[in-house]
Amino acid sequence: MRVPVLAYHAINISGNDYASNDHVAFAADLRLIDDLGLRIVPLQWVVDQVNGIADRDLSRCVALTCDDGSAFDYFDLDHPTHGMQRSLYHGMLDFIAERGADAQPDLHLTAFVIASPQARQQIDVSCLVGRGWMGDDWWRQAAESGLIAIENHSWDHNHPCLPSPGIDGMPRGSFLDVDNHTRADAEIAAATRFINERIAPQQTRIFCYPFSHVADYLRAEYLPNFAVAHGMQAAMGDGATPVTRSSDRWNLPRYICGWHWKSTEALREILQASS
Ligand SMILES: [Zn+2]
């Protein structure tokens, strides 16, 4: 198993071409993956394989993720500068309409969302344009669509726009400061409980480190030892290598769109080198 896990940020919209818009890149990449004869599978399948609780054939597979849980993941929205944006969800439906449901029968996207309503509202006002684009009204529909899993991107991202300090005197702006049990429970276990209430009977099982900050305490102590509290089975970082059976389940690598690749050609090289 060598599965590249790709990551998108639907809020990355500074134009309407591949390099400046993750919606455009995502739509093009679905077709590239399909053209290369690769199979898109749910990230949960990859996690199951790493954890030894399933043994599927995951050769020549790719998994897709997106971060931060803005409404752009699910709803088509009118961007104030760059116009109507096709959501990632509708991008998948467009792909199915174009190529048929049999082209990628396991097509799936894992969306990592921020749990705290107060944090999301503050981010919406401070970092977006205050149009209510950080709601959680789409989580359940998305989870029930069968095409999207709603997963854990922490309680509040310890985002720099939030009032400082955070819980337990934590300074804002870095996830590396989530370095003790109190902070970890507040950022991860509390997020699990909130998200699970919203998407029941489905449950979140995969964590994604905000800012790709893999805090040692979380990777080596909290996540491995307190599963009953946080319910996580794996955690995603940004290692830019394919996931293999020997990957660290608490720091599974991903490739980030706009960082590790910026064009179809660059992604083609990543995918061909992996498979
Ligand atoms: Zn994030």
Side-chain angles (χ1 to χ4, degrees):
M1 174 178 78
R2 287 172 56 79
V3 181
V5 179
L6 308 182
Y8 299 85
H9 293 81
I11 207 66
N12 282 357
I13 302 166
S14 59
N16 280 307
D17 64 8
Y18 191 106
S20 62
N21 185 313
D22 276 21
H23 298 257
V24 175
F26 181 78
D29 295 348
L30 292 178
R31 286 151 183 85
L32 172 68
I33 292 164
D34 196 50
D35 290 343
L36 291 172
L38 303 174
R39 203 155 50 96
I40 299 165
V41 296
L43 180 62
Q44 182 70 52
W45 291 13
V46 181
V47 168
D48 289 348
Q49 204 89 344
V50 171
N51 290 340
I53 58 173
D55 190 22
R56 299 179 177 95
D57 177 7
L58 297 186
S59 54
R60 297 182 57 76
C61 286
V62 180
L64 305 176
T65 67
C66 60
D67 288 4
D68 301 328
S70 77
F72 282 98
D73 290 352
Y74 193 72
F75 297 120
D76 296 347
L77 294 173
D78 193 10
H79 187 279
T81 314
H82 303 293
M84 280 305 293
Q85 301 295 321
R86 196 73 170 145
S87 72
L88 302 182
Y89 173 63
H90 285 139
M92 289 192 288
L93 295 183
D94 292 345
F95 173 86
I96 292 168
E98 179 186 311
R99 300 207 171 181
D102 293 342
Q104 291 289 339
D106 303 307
L107 179 62
H108 196 268
L109 173 66
T110 295
F112 291 101
V113 304
I114 298 167
S116 161
Q118 296 79 13
R120 284 188 274 107
Q121 191 188 3
Q122 185 67 49
I123 291 168
D124 186 60
V125 169
S126 301
C127 306
L128 305 180
V129 292
R131 292 194 186 175
W133 287 344
M134 290 298 294
D136 55 27
D137 52 327
W138 56 276
W139 294 359
R140 180 177 295 278
Q141 295 161 258
E144 289 176 350
S145 75
L147 287 173
I148 295 180
I150 301 296
E151 299 287 358
N152 187 340
H153 199 32
S154 84
W155 177 250
D156 63 7
H157 213 289
N158 201 27
H159 201 279
C161 80
L162 301 176
S164 191
I167 192 100
D168 187 42
M170 183 163 58
R172 294 298 194 181
S174 168
F175 217 73
L176 297 176
D177 288 311
V178 184
D179 57 2
N180 65 40
H181 194 270
T182 301
R183 294 175 179 187
D185 261 350
E187 285 290 356
I188 301 180
T192 300
R193 289 192 295 273
F194 184 92
I195 293 167
N196 284 349
E197 267 179 30
R198 291 292 192 279
I199 65 171
Q202 310 214 34
Q203 294 186 317
T204 173
R205 296 192 181 89
I206 309 174
F207 182 67
C208 176
Y209 294 100
F211 314 110
S212 297
H213 287 173
V214 182
D216 274 346
Y217 171 74
L218 296 177
R219 184 190 58 76
E221 286 191 47
Y222 181 76
L223 288 167
N225 297 329
F226 296 94
V228 173
H230 59 66
M232 298 292 101
Q233 300 176 346
M236 309 308 297
D238 67 353
T241 56
V243 174
T244 69
R245 281 180 188 272
S246 57
S247 296
D248 178 356
R249 68 189 277 196
W250 301 119
N251 186 16
L252 294 178
R254 299 191 300 170
Y255 297 87
I256 316 293
C257 182
W259 178 15
H260 297 118
W261 87 91
K262 294 183 168 84
S263 67
T264 300
E265 295 68 35
L267 180 60
R268 186 195 308 272
E269 278 181 29
I270 289 171
L271 296 174
Q272 287 179 331
S274 304
S275 57

mmCIF file of all heavy atoms in Angstrom, residues 86-126:
data_model
loop_
_atom_site.group_PDB
_atom_site.id
_atom_site.type_symbol
_atom_site.label_atom_id
_atom_site.label_comp_id
_atom_site.label_asym_id
_atom_site.label_seq_id
_atom_site.Cartn_x
_atom_site.Cartn_y
_atom_site.Cartn_z
ATOM 1 N N ARG A 86 -18.134 26.614 -7.415
ATOM 2 C CA ARG A 86 -18.740 25.291 -7.326
ATOM 3 C C ARG A 86 -18.137 24.580 -6.116
ATOM 4 O O ARG A 86 -16.905 24.481 -6.007
ATOM 5 C CB ARG A 86 -18.419 24.527 -8.618
ATOM 6 C CG ARG A 86 -19.272 23.307 -8.860
ATOM 7 C CD ARG A 86 -20.676 23.676 -9.268
ATOM 8 N NE ARG A 86 -21.414 22.498 -9.735
ATOM 9 C CZ ARG A 86 -22.712 22.311 -9.540
ATOM 10 N NH1 ARG A 86 -23.426 23.217 -8.882
ATOM 11 N NH2 ARG A 86 -23.310 21.246 -10.010
ATOM 12 N N SER A 87 -18.978 24.116 -5.214
ATOM 13 C CA SER A 87 -18.459 23.484 -3.988
ATOM 14 C C SER A 87 -17.700 22.202 -4.324
ATOM 15 O O SER A 87 -17.870 21.611 -5.400
ATOM 16 C CB SER A 87 -19.606 23.157 -3.038
ATOM 17 O OG SER A 87 -20.370 22.068 -3.543
ATOM 18 N N LEU A 88 -16.898 21.756 -3.382
ATOM 19 C CA LEU A 88 -16.191 20.492 -3.582
ATOM 20 C C LEU A 88 -17.199 19.345 -3.726
ATOM 21 O O LEU A 88 -17.022 18.446 -4.548
ATOM 22 C CB LEU A 88 -15.226 20.231 -2.420
ATOM 23 C CG LEU A 88 -14.165 21.320 -2.172
ATOM 24 C CD1 LEU A 88 -13.242 20.903 -1.027
ATOM 25 C CD2 LEU A 88 -13.364 21.635 -3.424
ATOM 26 N N TYR A 89 -18.261 19.412 -2.925
ATOM 27 C CA TYR A 89 -19.313 18.383 -3.012
ATOM 28 C C TYR A 89 -19.923 18.354 -4.413
ATOM 29 O O TYR A 89 -20.031 17.299 -5.041
ATOM 30 C CB TYR A 89 -20.378 18.660 -1.952
ATOM 31 C CG TYR A 89 -21.594 17.786 -2.039
ATOM 32 C CD1 TYR A 89 -21.503 16.402 -1.865
ATOM 33 C CD2 TYR A 89 -22.850 18.338 -2.286
ATOM 34 C CE1 TYR A 89 -22.625 15.599 -1.944
ATOM 35 C CE2 TYR A 89 -23.983 17.536 -2.367
ATOM 36 C CZ TYR A 89 -23.859 16.166 -2.200
ATOM 37 O OH TYR A 89 -24.978 15.375 -2.275
ATOM 38 N N HIS A 90 -20.307 19.529 -4.909
ATOM 39 C CA HIS A 90 -20.894 19.552 -6.247
ATOM 40 C C HIS A 90 -19.864 19.215 -7.321
ATOM 41 O O HIS A 90 -20.215 18.685 -8.375
ATOM 42 C CB HIS A 90 -21.555 20.907 -6.511
ATOM 43 C CG HIS A 90 -22.853 21.059 -5.792
ATOM 44 N ND1 HIS A 90 -23.246 22.223 -5.174
ATOM 45 C CD2 HIS A 90 -23.835 20.148 -5.553
ATOM 46 C CE1 HIS A 90 -24.429 22.031 -4.604
ATOM 47 N NE2 HIS A 90 -24.800 20.788 -4.811
ATOM 48 N N GLY A 91 -18.603 19.514 -7.046
ATOM 49 C CA GLY A 91 -17.540 19.098 -7.968
ATOM 50 C C GLY A 91 -17.515 17.583 -8.125
ATOM 51 O O GLY A 91 -17.285 17.069 -9.224
ATOM 52 N N MET A 92 -17.776 16.869 -7.030
ATOM 53 C CA MET A 92 -17.835 15.407 -7.119
ATOM 54 C C MET A 92 -19.081 14.955 -7.883
ATOM 55 O O MET A 92 -19.011 14.028 -8.702
ATOM 56 C CB MET A 92 -17.817 14.790 -5.708
ATOM 57 C CG MET A 92 -16.467 14.930 -5.025
ATOM 58 S SD MET A 92 -16.332 13.906 -3.532
ATOM 59 C CE MET A 92 -17.410 14.803 -2.420
ATOM 60 N N LEU A 93 -20.220 15.630 -7.633
ATOM 61 C CA LEU A 93 -21.443 15.264 -8.367
ATOM 62 C C LEU A 93 -21.283 15.546 -9.861
ATOM 63 O O LEU A 93 -21.754 14.763 -10.701
ATOM 64 C CB LEU A 93 -22.649 16.028 -7.811
ATOM 65 C CG LEU A 93 -23.039 15.699 -6.359
ATOM 66 C CD1 LEU A 93 -24.306 16.467 -5.967
ATOM 67 C CD2 LEU A 93 -23.262 14.199 -6.167
ATOM 68 N N ASP A 94 -20.601 16.647 -10.196
ATOM 69 C CA ASP A 94 -20.332 16.949 -11.616
ATOM 70 C C ASP A 94 -19.496 15.838 -12.246
ATOM 71 O O ASP A 94 -19.744 15.424 -13.385
ATOM 72 C CB ASP A 94 -19.579 18.274 -11.756
ATOM 73 C CG ASP A 94 -20.428 19.474 -11.369
ATOM 74 O OD1 ASP A 94 -21.666 19.330 -11.267
ATOM 75 O OD2 ASP A 94 -19.840 20.564 -11.158
ATOM 76 N N PHE A 95 -18.500 15.382 -11.511
ATOM 77 C CA PHE A 95 -17.640 14.314 -12.012
ATOM 78 C C PHE A 95 -18.467 13.051 -12.270
ATOM 79 O O PHE A 95 -18.324 12.398 -13.310
ATOM 80 C CB PHE A 95 -16.519 14.024 -11.001
ATOM 81 C CG PHE A 95 -15.684 12.827 -11.354
ATOM 82 C CD1 PHE A 95 -14.591 12.945 -12.219
ATOM 83 C CD2 PHE A 95 -16.009 11.571 -10.850
ATOM 84 C CE1 PHE A 95 -13.846 11.821 -12.557
ATOM 85 C CE2 PHE A 95 -15.262 10.449 -11.190
ATOM 86 C CZ PHE A 95 -14.177 10.579 -12.047
ATOM 87 N N ILE A 96 -19.359 12.730 -11.323
ATOM 88 C CA ILE A 96 -20.193 11.527 -11.483
ATOM 89 C C ILE A 96 -21.117 11.681 -12.698
ATOM 90 O O ILE A 96 -21.292 10.750 -13.488
ATOM 91 C CB ILE A 96 -21.007 11.265 -10.201
ATOM 92 C CG1 ILE A 96 -20.072 10.870 -9.056
ATOM 93 C CG2 ILE A 96 -22.058 10.184 -10.427
ATOM 94 C CD1 ILE A 96 -20.729 10.860 -7.686
ATOM 95 N N ALA A 97 -21.690 12.889 -12.860
ATOM 96 C CA ALA A 97 -22.584 13.122 -13.999
ATOM 97 C C ALA A 97 -21.828 12.986 -15.318
ATOM 98 O O ALA A 97 -22.364 12.497 -16.313
ATOM 99 C CB ALA A 97 -23.211 14.515 -13.880
ATOM 100 N N GLU A 98 -20.562 13.404 -15.316
ATOM 101 C CA GLU A 98 -19.772 13.383 -16.551
ATOM 102 C C GLU A 98 -19.268 11.982 -16.883
ATOM 103 O O GLU A 98 -19.311 11.552 -18.034
ATOM 104 C CB GLU A 98 -18.592 14.344 -16.381
ATOM 105 C CG GLU A 98 -17.666 14.430 -17.570
ATOM 106 C CD GLU A 98 -16.453 15.307 -17.234
ATOM 107 O OE1 GLU A 98 -16.654 16.415 -16.704
ATOM 108 O OE2 GLU A 98 -15.316 14.857 -17.490
ATOM 109 N N ARG A 99 -18.783 11.271 -15.868
ATOM 110 C CA ARG A 99 -18.088 10.003 -16.153
ATOM 111 C C ARG A 99 -18.847 8.767 -15.687
ATOM 112 O O ARG A 99 -18.402 7.648 -15.923
ATOM 113 C CB ARG A 99 -16.698 10.023 -15.531
ATOM 114 C CG ARG A 99 -15.852 11.158 -16.084
ATOM 115 C CD ARG A 99 -14.383 10.898 -16.037
ATOM 116 N NE ARG A 99 -13.671 11.932 -16.784
ATOM 117 C CZ ARG A 99 -12.360 11.947 -16.940
ATOM 118 N NH1 ARG A 99 -11.615 10.991 -16.427
ATOM 119 N NH2 ARG A 99 -11.788 12.917 -17.643
ATOM 120 N N GLY A 100 -19.979 8.972 -15.012
ATOM 121 C CA GLY A 100 -20.767 7.829 -14.542
ATOM 122 C C GLY A 100 -20.358 7.391 -13.149
ATOM 123 O O GLY A 100 -19.203 7.564 -12.752
ATOM 124 N N ALA A 101 -21.311 6.816 -12.439
ATOM 125 C CA ALA A 101 -21.055 6.392 -11.057
ATOM 126 C C ALA A 101 -20.059 5.248 -10.994
ATOM 127 O O ALA A 101 -19.427 5.019 -9.962
ATOM 128 C CB ALA A 101 -22.373 5.986 -10.390
ATOM 129 N N ASP A 102 -19.902 4.521 -12.096
ATOM 130 C CA ASP A 102 -18.991 3.372 -12.090
ATOM 131 C C ASP A 102 -17.533 3.782 -12.267
ATOM 132 O O ASP A 102 -16.634 2.976 -12.031
ATOM 133 C CB ASP A 102 -19.364 2.395 -13.211
ATOM 134 C CG ASP A 102 -20.712 1.745 -12.956
ATOM 135 O OD1 ASP A 102 -21.170 1.780 -11.797
ATOM 136 O OD2 ASP A 102 -21.303 1.225 -13.915
ATOM 137 N N ALA A 103 -17.292 5.020 -12.705
ATOM 138 C CA ALA A 103 -15.904 5.438 -12.961
ATOM 139 C C ALA A 103 -15.091 5.394 -11.667
ATOM 140 O O ALA A 103 -13.972 4.883 -11.636
ATOM 141 C CB ALA A 103 -15.880 6.830 -13.569
ATOM 142 N N GLN A 104 -15.668 5.951 -10.603
ATOM 143 C CA GLN A 104 -15.007 5.941 -9.283
ATOM 144 C C GLN A 104 -16.060 5.529 -8.260
ATOM 145 O O GLN A 104 -16.628 6.373 -7.560
ATOM 146 C CB GLN A 104 -14.445 7.336 -8.952
ATOM 147 C CG GLN A 104 -13.274 7.774 -9.798
ATOM 148 C CD GLN A 104 -11.985 6.990 -9.477
ATOM 149 O OE1 GLN A 104 -11.844 6.413 -8.403
ATOM 150 N NE2 GLN A 104 -11.050 6.967 -10.429
ATOM 151 N N PRO A 105 -16.326 4.237 -8.149
ATOM 152 C CA PRO A 105 -17.442 3.798 -7.297
ATOM 153 C C PRO A 105 -17.255 4.119 -5.815
ATOM 154 O O PRO A 105 -18.241 4.139 -5.068
ATOM 155 C CB PRO A 105 -17.483 2.280 -7.530
ATOM 156 C CG PRO A 105 -16.160 1.924 -8.124
ATOM 157 C CD PRO A 105 -15.681 3.126 -8.863
ATOM 158 N N ASP A 106 -16.015 4.358 -5.392
ATOM 159 C CA ASP A 106 -15.763 4.652 -3.971
ATOM 160 C C ASP A 106 -15.368 6.115 -3.756
ATOM 161 O O ASP A 106 -14.757 6.453 -2.733
ATOM 162 C CB ASP A 106 -14.679 3.709 -3.442
ATOM 163 C CG ASP A 106 -15.064 2.251 -3.637
ATOM 164 O OD1 ASP A 106 -16.178 1.893 -3.204
ATOM 165 O OD2 ASP A 106 -14.289 1.499 -4.247
ATOM 166 N N LEU A 107 -15.736 6.958 -4.719
ATOM 167 C CA LEU A 107 -15.419 8.385 -4.635
ATOM 168 C C LEU A 107 -15.808 8.942 -3.269
ATOM 169 O O LEU A 107 -16.936 8.722 -2.794
ATOM 170 C CB LEU A 107 -16.173 9.139 -5.736
ATOM 171 C CG LEU A 107 -15.991 10.654 -5.787
ATOM 172 C CD1 LEU A 107 -14.536 11.025 -6.055
ATOM 173 C CD2 LEU A 107 -16.898 11.260 -6.859
ATOM 174 N N HIS A 108 -14.886 9.694 -2.650
ATOM 175 C CA HIS A 108 -15.119 10.110 -1.274
ATOM 176 C C HIS A 108 -14.173 11.245 -0.904
ATOM 177 O O HIS A 108 -13.047 11.305 -1.393
ATOM 178 C CB HIS A 108 -14.878 8.917 -0.327
ATOM 179 C CG HIS A 108 -15.432 9.112 1.041
ATOM 180 N ND1 HIS A 108 -14.697 9.643 2.072
ATOM 181 C CD2 HIS A 108 -16.664 8.847 1.548
ATOM 182 C CE1 HIS A 108 -15.463 9.698 3.160
ATOM 183 N NE2 HIS A 108 -16.650 9.228 2.873
ATOM 184 N N LEU A 109 -14.671 12.133 -0.039
ATOM 185 C CA LEU A 109 -13.886 13.275 0.442
ATOM 186 C C LEU A 109 -14.031 13.346 1.965
ATOM 187 O O LEU A 109 -15.153 13.274 2.478
ATOM 188 C CB LEU A 109 -14.422 14.571 -0.188
ATOM 189 C CG LEU A 109 -13.846 15.888 0.303
ATOM 190 C CD1 LEU A 109 -12.364 16.018 -0.078
ATOM 191 C CD2 LEU A 109 -14.634 17.067 -0.297
ATOM 192 N N THR A 110 -12.928 13.505 2.664
ATOM 193 C CA THR A 110 -12.952 13.639 4.122
ATOM 194 C C THR A 110 -12.767 15.107 4.483
ATOM 195 O O THR A 110 -11.732 15.700 4.153
ATOM 196 C CB THR A 110 -11.845 12.773 4.755
ATOM 197 O OG1 THR A 110 -12.148 11.402 4.500
ATOM 198 C CG2 THR A 110 -11.767 13.013 6.257
ATOM 199 N N ALA A 111 -13.772 15.693 5.146
ATOM 200 C CA ALA A 111 -13.752 17.118 5.478
ATOM 201 C C ALA A 111 -13.427 17.296 6.961
ATOM 202 O O ALA A 111 -14.184 16.834 7.831
ATOM 203 C CB ALA A 111 -15.103 17.750 5.157
ATOM 204 N N PHE A 112 -12.315 17.956 7.248
ATOM 205 C CA PHE A 112 -11.925 18.231 8.635
ATOM 206 C C PHE A 112 -12.494 19.585 9.042
ATOM 207 O O PHE A 112 -12.161 20.615 8.442
ATOM 208 C CB PHE A 112 -10.403 18.212 8.761
ATOM 209 C CG PHE A 112 -9.822 16.834 8.586
ATOM 210 C CD1 PHE A 112 -9.252 16.448 7.392
ATOM 211 C CD2 PHE A 112 -9.896 15.910 9.618
ATOM 212 C CE1 PHE A 112 -8.737 15.164 7.225
ATOM 213 C CE2 PHE A 112 -9.389 14.624 9.471
ATOM 214 C CZ PHE A 112 -8.802 14.255 8.259
ATOM 215 N N VAL A 113 -13.365 19.571 10.066
ATOM 216 C CA VAL A 113 -14.075 20.783 10.455
ATOM 217 C C VAL A 113 -13.649 21.256 11.838
ATOM 218 O O VAL A 113 -13.183 20.476 12.679
ATOM 219 C CB VAL A 113 -15.607 20.565 10.429
ATOM 220 C CG1 VAL A 113 -16.058 20.089 9.051
ATOM 221 C CG2 VAL A 113 -16.060 19.583 11.513
ATOM 222 N N ILE A 114 -13.829 22.545 12.066
ATOM 223 C CA ILE A 114 -13.575 23.165 13.367
ATOM 224 C C ILE A 114 -14.881 23.094 14.165
ATOM 225 O O ILE A 114 -15.946 23.445 13.649
ATOM 226 C CB ILE A 114 -13.124 24.623 13.175
ATOM 227 C CG1 ILE A 114 -11.806 24.668 12.389
ATOM 228 C CG2 ILE A 114 -12.997 25.341 14.521
ATOM 229 C CD1 ILE A 114 -11.445 26.050 11.869
ATOM 230 N N ALA A 115 -14.798 22.620 15.414
ATOM 231 C CA ALA A 115 -16.015 22.329 16.165
ATOM 232 C C ALA A 115 -16.677 23.580 16.757
ATOM 233 O O ALA A 115 -17.874 23.799 16.581
ATOM 234 C CB ALA A 115 -15.703 21.326 17.278
ATOM 235 N N SER A 116 -15.947 24.400 17.473
ATOM 236 C CA SER A 116 -16.522 25.470 18.291
ATOM 237 C C SER A 116 -17.327 26.480 17.462
ATOM 238 O O SER A 116 -16.779 27.142 16.574
ATOM 239 C CB SER A 116 -15.400 26.218 19.012
ATOM 240 O OG SER A 116 -15.856 27.487 19.436
ATOM 241 N N PRO A 117 -18.632 26.635 17.770
ATOM 242 C CA PRO A 117 -19.432 27.629 17.036
ATOM 243 C C PRO A 117 -18.896 29.050 17.227
ATOM 244 O O PRO A 117 -18.909 29.851 16.282
ATOM 245 C CB PRO A 117 -20.828 27.481 17.648
ATOM 246 C CG PRO A 117 -20.840 26.125 18.286
ATOM 247 C CD PRO A 117 -19.437 25.857 18.724
ATOM 248 N N GLN A 118 -18.426 29.364 18.437
ATOM 249 C CA GLN A 118 -17.907 30.711 18.699
ATOM 250 C C GLN A 118 -16.641 30.966 17.879
ATOM 251 O O GLN A 118 -16.458 32.041 17.316
ATOM 252 C CB GLN A 118 -17.608 30.882 20.189
ATOM 253 C CG GLN A 118 -18.821 30.803 21.103
ATOM 254 C CD GLN A 118 -19.294 29.375 21.386
ATOM 255 O OE1 GLN A 118 -18.591 28.395 21.092
ATOM 256 N NE2 GLN A 118 -20.501 29.248 21.927
ATOM 257 N N ALA A 119 -15.770 29.958 17.823
ATOM 258 C CA ALA A 119 -14.546 30.119 17.044
ATOM 259 C C ALA A 119 -14.868 30.267 15.565
ATOM 260 O O ALA A 119 -14.301 31.131 14.878
ATOM 261 C CB ALA A 119 -13.621 28.917 17.261
ATOM 262 N N ARG A 120 -15.796 29.459 15.089
ATOM 263 C CA ARG A 120 -16.141 29.543 13.665
ATOM 264 C C ARG A 120 -16.744 30.904 13.329
ATOM 265 O O ARG A 120 -16.469 31.490 12.285
ATOM 266 C CB ARG A 120 -17.101 28.410 13.282
ATOM 267 C CG ARG A 120 -16.375 27.061 13.165
ATOM 268 C CD ARG A 120 -17.262 25.963 12.612
ATOM 269 N NE ARG A 120 -18.045 25.297 13.627
ATOM 270 C CZ ARG A 120 -19.351 25.425 13.826
ATOM 271 N NH1 ARG A 120 -20.060 26.245 13.057
ATOM 272 N NH2 ARG A 120 -19.973 24.765 14.769
ATOM 273 N N GLN A 121 -17.568 31.412 14.237
ATOM 274 C CA GLN A 121 -18.177 32.712 13.972
ATOM 275 C C GLN A 121 -17.110 33.810 13.943
ATOM 276 O O GLN A 121 -17.133 34.710 13.090
ATOM 277 C CB GLN A 121 -19.231 33.017 15.021
ATOM 278 C CG GLN A 121 -20.052 34.226 14.630
ATOM 279 C CD GLN A 121 -20.987 34.696 15.737
ATOM 280 O OE1 GLN A 121 -20.983 34.153 16.837
ATOM 281 N NE2 GLN A 121 -21.767 35.702 15.430
ATOM 282 N N GLN A 122 -16.151 33.714 14.868
ATOM 283 C CA GLN A 122 -15.087 34.719 14.910
ATOM 284 C C GLN A 122 -14.216 34.641 13.649
ATOM 285 O O GLN A 122 -13.837 35.664 13.081
ATOM 286 C CB GLN A 122 -14.228 34.504 16.169
ATOM 287 C CG GLN A 122 -13.160 35.563 16.377
ATOM 288 C CD GLN A 122 -13.753 36.933 16.683
ATOM 289 O OE1 GLN A 122 -14.611 37.045 17.545
ATOM 290 N NE2 GLN A 122 -13.313 37.950 15.957
ATOM 291 N N ILE A 123 -13.905 33.426 13.219
ATOM 292 C CA ILE A 123 -13.105 33.248 12.000
ATOM 293 C C ILE A 123 -13.875 33.803 10.797
ATOM 294 O O ILE A 123 -13.297 34.457 9.917
ATOM 295 C CB ILE A 123 -12.749 31.753 11.810
ATOM 296 C CG1 ILE A 123 -11.751 31.315 12.887
ATOM 297 C CG2 ILE A 123 -12.190 31.488 10.407
ATOM 298 C CD1 ILE A 123 -11.542 29.802 12.983
ATOM 299 N N ASP A 124 -15.190 33.569 10.773
ATOM 300 C CA ASP A 124 -16.012 34.056 9.664
ATOM 301 C C ASP A 124 -15.935 35.579 9.551
ATOM 302 O O ASP A 124 -15.834 36.137 8.462
ATOM 303 C CB ASP A 124 -17.466 33.614 9.866
ATOM 304 C CG ASP A 124 -18.350 33.962 8.687
ATOM 305 O OD1 ASP A 124 -18.054 33.478 7.573
ATOM 306 O OD2 ASP A 124 -19.323 34.717 8.872
ATOM 307 N N VAL A 125 -15.949 36.241 10.709
ATOM 308 C CA VAL A 125 -15.937 37.707 10.724
ATOM 309 C C VAL A 125 -14.524 38.248 10.489
ATOM 310 O O VAL A 125 -14.328 39.189 9.718
ATOM 311 C CB VAL A 125 -16.502 38.224 12.070
ATOM 312 C CG1 VAL A 125 -16.256 39.713 12.222
ATOM 313 C CG2 VAL A 125 -17.986 37.904 12.183
ATOM 314 N N SER A 126 -13.532 37.624 11.134
ATOM 315 C CA SER A 126 -12.171 38.178 11.107
ATOM 316 C C SER A 126 -11.380 37.787 9.865
ATOM 317 O O SER A 126 -10.573 38.572 9.376
ATOM 318 C CB SER A 126 -11.380 37.702 12.327
ATOM 319 O OG SER A 126 -12.009 38.101 13.511
#
